[in-house]
Amino acid sequence: MPKRILQGTVTSNANEQTVTVSVERRFTHPVLKKTIRKSKKYRAHDEQNKCEVGQTVRIIECAPRSKTKRWEVLEA
């Protein structure tokens, strides 16, 4: 099964080797036919601590690295 790749914005880099990435998705409501924006936060592994807040990054699925980290930074 292929690994998912998502693109989002770094919202926090306070923890060592970890960044919080906010990923936004847009879709049309099935009844109202209105475009809706939903966002979800993912915790991603950042080996070199090179990501800064506000930066756009791509993250990829990986094996669990901790209780909450299931993603790693692919490119910053």
Side-chain angles (χ1 to χ4, degrees), residues 12-76:
S12 172
N13 63 352
N15 297 319
E16 192 71 23
Q17 293 187 344
T18 302
V19 291
T20 303
V21 180
S22 180
V23 176
E24 183 182 280
R25 66 186 191 96
R26 293 174 183 226
F27 62 96
T28 304
H29 191 280
V31 175
L32 302 177
K33 306 302 182 204
K34 180 179 178 181
T35 301
I36 298 175
R37 296 177 359 180
K38 283 203 175 200
S39 63
K40 184 174 179 181
K41 289 183 179 179
Y42 296 93
R43 312 247 301 150
H45 183 71
D46 180 20
E47 190 73 42
Q48 285 87 29
N49 290 321
K50 60 184 176 183
C51 295
E52 298 296 326
V53 175
Q55 188 175 1
T56 300
V57 296
R58 294 179 69 193
I59 56 175
I60 188 169
E61 261 184 326
C62 67
R65 293 196 178 250
S66 71
K67 181 181 175 182
T68 57
K69 284 199 289 187
R70 269 68 173 152
W71 297 82
E72 58 189 24
V73 175
L74 183 63
E75 55 189 49

